[in-house]
Amino acid sequence: MEKRIYLSSPHMSDENYELHYIQDAFNKNWITTAGENVNEFEKELAHSVNVKSAAVVSSGTAAIHLALLAAGVGEGDIVFCQSLTFAATANPILYQRATPVFIDSDAATWNMCPKLLEEAFLRYPNVKAVIVVHLYGLSADIDEITRVCTKYGAVVIEDAAESLGTTYKGQPSGTHGKYGIYSFNGNKIITTSGGGVLISNDEERIEKAKFWSTQSKDPALFYQHSELGFNYRMSNITAGIGRGQLKVLDERVAKKRAIYEWYKRELGELEDIGFMPDNDWNAPNYWLSCITCSGKVRPIDIIEALEAENIESRFIWKPMHLQPFFERYDYFGNGTSDQLFEDGVCLPSDTKMTEADVERVAAIIRRTVISKNEKLKLIS
Ligand SMILES: *Cc1c(COP(=O)(O)O)cnc(C)c1O
């Protein structure tokens, strides 16, 4: 069996930048949730996406939770949330005892449909916050979404967990709304092993998020708490990994783009295979190269054919409105996310892949598509 090809695995820098910052934390004995790496990672990250401030935390999910808190979302509030996403986008709405209402995607972006969003506001005019996602490194049509949210006075939270390095009209993904979050989970474009960050140009709100993330300790001589607290702060060790990884982000984006272009060259001619949408205002980070199947070949055929050769691939996210846990909540749909779930495959997009690896994956997909169509001819 050839060595496994992964969907997206951690990829540390060749220069060992990460180890340098970890060693520094050991040397100074800052083995805790404070220290130079934590402070510097926040500054360097904020600088790299051109926002005023950042709070690094233990996960992207924690960052979304803090964004909702910062937006003032609490019990009884309604939050609009993109349906086509990972459950981590929606779960924090329930941590706050608020109610999610799910919004379908636009086929032109795969992300939140601004028209459906406006429809949803007509039924629920007093929504406090909207969580829009930039899936697989593609950007939502964030100008339109921001325009609609501003009209109805709702706070925009960008779940840019998968889209660090993406730009929309030249501006980094995650910096268009009031709050943005990135994830540094092991499979994301850069990783700290586990971690996340909340960003905003509102420095006062970010300071408040740091306060909540460190157990809401009042400035007193003893332990005093006037608010509910959380233990969400990032450790100084993992922040060291993040500082090292940030140095290779541009390199990773370039490699992800190359992988996408190789797939397009290898599979672009196949009638039954479609690719993620291209929009000229969008410069994706190509976190995952995704395709859609039409005709006789189904995602499961491709996923099983690849798995038989020790290659990892996945279905597109199953939308929240189809999840047993979330289907009880209201939903504004147009069928796009159902279709993407039915037809979509995330191809291995690991930055350690070579051009030959991509060609091998593509050859298996081509073979699968052709054999499905030949079987069909035999039957008819
Ligand atoms: C990974 C991911 C998250 C959660 O990030 P964690 O760091 O794993 O908590 C949230 N939203 C989306 C869209 C993600 O892909």
Side-chain angles (χ1 to χ4, degrees):
M1 188 64 84
E2 293 203 44
K3 76 168 186 343
R4 187 158 177 79
I5 295 180
Y6 290 99
L7 197 72
S8 182
S9 72
H11 190 171
M12 296 298 111
S13 63
D14 294 336
E15 297 83 354
N16 287 327
Y17 297 130
E18 299 85 358
L19 284 176
H20 162 83
Y21 290 118
I22 292 173
Q23 187 63 53
D24 186 63
F26 273 69
N27 294 348
K28 293 172 181 159
N29 202 36
W30 283 94
I31 315 292
T32 180
T33 51
E36 196 174 319
N37 285 337
V38 169
N39 299 335
E40 292 304 308
F41 186 33
E42 282 175 342
K43 280 192 210 143
E44 290 160 4
L45 191 283
H47 178 77
S48 82
V49 295
N50 199 21
V51 287
K52 289 207 180 111
S53 53
V56 289
V57 290
S58 52
S59 69
T61 311
I64 295 169
H65 189 188
L66 291 171
L68 289 169
L69 271 162
V73 170
E75 186 156 11
D77 287 331
I78 289 168
V79 175
F80 290 156
C81 179
Q82 184 164 320
S83 185
L84 185 66
T85 187
F86 180 41
T89 310
N91 284 334
I93 300 170
L94 294 167
Y95 302 167
Q96 281 309 100
R97 299 169 194 270
T99 304
V101 168
F102 295 108
I103 314 278
D104 209 343
S105 288
D106 182 343
T109 64
W110 287 18
N111 291 301
M112 188 180 279
C113 173
K115 286 199 200 81
L116 282 178
L117 176 65
E118 183 126 37
E119 235 178 77
F121 272 117
L122 294 177
R123 194 179 312 161
Y124 299 100
N126 297 317
V127 163
K128 236 180 217 160
V130 175
I131 310 181
V132 56
V133 190
H134 306 294
L135 282 181
Y136 304 120
L138 300 171
S139 181
D141 189 357
I142 195 70
D143 274 358
E144 260 310 284
I145 285 162
T146 308
R147 186 190 62 77
V148 174
C149 290
T150 305
K151 182 169 157 189
Y152 292 92
V155 173
V156 176
I157 298 170
E158 290 179 78
D159 178 348
E162 302 174 3
S163 68
L164 178 59
T166 293
T167 59
Y168 171 93
K169 299 181 184 172
Q171 188 185 327
S173 187
T175 68
H176 299 257
K178 168 97 187 180
Y179 302 102
I181 76 97
Y182 302 116
S183 163
F184 306 115
N185 186 37
N187 63 356
K188 297 304 196 299
I189 193 154
I190 60 170
T191 183
T192 60
S193 71
V197 63
L198 174 69
I199 57 168
S200 178
N201 282 314
D202 188 333
E203 292 162 278
E204 183 275 323
R205 290 275 88 187
I206 291 292
E207 280 313 306
K208 190 77 194 198
K210 288 182 192 172
F211 170 79
W212 289 320
S213 77
T214 50
Q215 308 282 25
S216 298
K217 296 188 206 95
D218 289 347
L221 293 174
F222 31 79
Y223 283 100
Q224 177 170 293
H225 308 275
S226 310
E227 286 186 68
L228 179 63
F230 302 88
N231 185 3
Y232 277 169
R233 199 73 169 133
M234 181 180 274
S235 112
N236 196 47
I237 305 292
T238 53
I241 306 177
R243 293 182 74 187
Q245 285 271 280
L246 202 53
K247 291 187 191 294
V248 293
L249 173 62
D250 290 347
E251 232 176 276
R252 297 290 176 266
V253 172
K255 183 62 186 282
K256 294 269 192 192
R257 185 186 308 124
I259 290 170
Y260 178 77
E261 280 162 7
W262 291 329
Y263 277 125
K264 217 158 181 190
R265 182 191 72 203
E266 295 295 314
L267 300 170
E269 308 283 287
L270 283 179
E271 219 175 281
D272 293 347
I273 300 292
F275 277 81
M276 316 192 284
D278 275 324
N279 288 295
D280 52 12
W281 36 257
N282 190 14
N285 70 1
Y286 297 101
W287 174 57
L288 295 183
S289 287
C290 302
I291 55 170
T292 54
C293 310
S294 55
K296 279 296 133 186
V297 69
R298 302 314 309 150
I300 191 69
D301 303 322
I302 291 174
I303 291 167
E304 284 179 352
L306 292 173
E307 192 53 52
E309 308 235 8
N310 206 21
I311 298 167
E312 187 184 22
S313 61
R314 296 257 174 96
F315 288 93
I316 296 254
W317 299 121
K318 181 173 180 174
M320 291 306 110
H321 73 274
L322 298 178
Q323 297 288 352
F325 183 69
F326 287 110
E327 65 189 7
R328 74 193 86 159
Y329 299 104
D330 203 1
Y331 160 63
F332 289 80
N334 57 20
T336 299
S337 59
D338 307 61
Q339 196 70 45
L340 286 168
F341 171 56
E342 215 166 285
D343 295 340
V345 185
C346 306
L347 299 179
S349 309
D350 196 272
T351 47
K352 291 193 271 334
M353 287 172 83
T354 62
E355 189 168 358
D357 288 333
V358 172
E359 285 166 359
R360 199 176 131 230
V361 172
I364 297 165
I365 295 170
R366 246 189 337 260
R367 210 171 62 211
T368 310
V369 171
I370 291 167
S371 88
K372 277 280 150 191
N373 285 321
E374 274 170 1
K375 263 192 213 126
L376 190 70
K377 271 190 220 137
L378 287 177
I379 297 165
S380 59

